[in-house]
Amino acid sequence: QASQSITEGIMQIPAFKAEKRSASGTKAMRKLRAEGLIPGVLYGKGKDNLNLQLAGKDLHAMVDGSAHVVQLDFGSEKTYALIRALDQDHLADQINHVDFVRVDLTDKVRVRVPVNFIGTAKGAAHGGVMEVLRGDVELLSPADRIPAHVDVEVTNLEIGDAIRYKDLKLPEGITGNQHPQAVIVHCTH
């Protein structure tokens, strides 16, 4: 089997300005979005939920940059948070709402990171087809060490070979969060 690894390129934690928001309701949210702001909620760690707003361009930068954990800067207060859910209109390329959950940098968080397939399967040269079953993988990782992506070397895949979660070589402290036998990629007839 080919060796698998996770990139050493651990994602940097970006910081974004956020403001507490008191307005709520459909009309107020439409007005916020018209001003280029996106409403959101910050919850978790036994603290009260906090309604917030941030610049739409900042939120798009988070999503486009594949950020998982971010630092929210409220001026006098800063907190680390994991992007938990996005309400996104894909047709209009617009984000309507975002949910954040508070984290400590030492917390283990569940995240999905993209897979970077390296090479061409040997079996493809013999009439086989490399079939990707998972373009991203779910990991449990300390919040401050979330990898940018997982590299998976596929060069040695022959027809009938597969790479599974158990084959991934992950850095210490990071584990796969799927069944060990789940197939990520295989080469088939």
Side-chain angles (χ1 to χ4, degrees), residues 3 7 12-14 20 34 40 55 78 111 115-116 140 177-178 188:
S3 75
T7 67
Q12 295 297 318
I13 298 175
K20 296 176 182 175
K78 293 178 175 45
V111 294
V115 176
N116 180 32
L140 285 174
N177 197 36
Q178 293 289 133
T188 186

Side-chain angles (χ1 to χ4, degrees), residues 19-178:
E19 296 176 29
K20 296 176 182 175
R21 135 181 94 78
S22 56
S24 63
T26 305
K27 188 175 179 180
M29 295 308 101
R30 278 194 200 123
K31 184 177 179 202
L32 268 182
R33 289 185 200 103
E35 295 170 2
L37 300 171
I38 305 296
V41 176
L42 174 65
Y43 57 91
K45 292 285 183 199
K47 296 181 180 179
D48 290 338
N49 292 354
L50 174 66
N51 291 327
L52 58 89
Q53 63 192 35
L54 56 144
K57 64 178 177 49
D58 288 347
L59 188 54
H60 279 280
M62 282 182 215
V63 173
D64 294 345
S66 300
H68 292 285
V69 175
V70 297
Q71 184 182 57
L72 297 175
D73 181 351
F74 293 98
S76 62
E77 173 190 351
K78 293 178 175 45
T79 188
Y80 290 105
L82 177 70
I83 299 172
R84 182 51 72 199
L86 282 176
D87 175 11
Q88 189 169 11
D89 180 348
H90 294 284
L91 296 177
D93 192 32
Q94 177 180 326
I95 298 171
N96 297 317
H97 190 272
V98 60
D99 287 354
F100 294 99
V101 63
R102 292 177 183 93
V103 295
D104 290 326
L105 293 184
T106 56
D107 289 349
K108 279 232 176 175
V109 295
R110 185 186 60 191
V111 294
R112 288 187 117 16
V113 298
V115 176
N116 180 32
F117 296 99
I118 300 172
T120 303
K122 285 182 183 175
H126 304 111
V129 175
M130 186 179 93
E131 184 177 17
V132 174
L133 301 178
R134 290 179 172 77
D136 58 17
V137 291
E138 188 170 289
L139 304 174
L140 285 174
S141 172
D144 64 343
R145 294 194 299 132
I146 298 171
H149 60 276
V150 176
D151 286 334
V152 175
E153 174 65 53
V154 296
T155 307
N156 294 324
L157 281 180
E158 293 285 357
I159 295 173
D161 288 346
I163 296 173
R164 302 171 189 279
Y165 263 85
K166 68 180 180 131
D167 300 322
L168 296 176
K169 301 210 183 334
L170 304 172
E172 190 175 326
I174 298 176
T175 57
N177 197 36
Q178 293 289 133

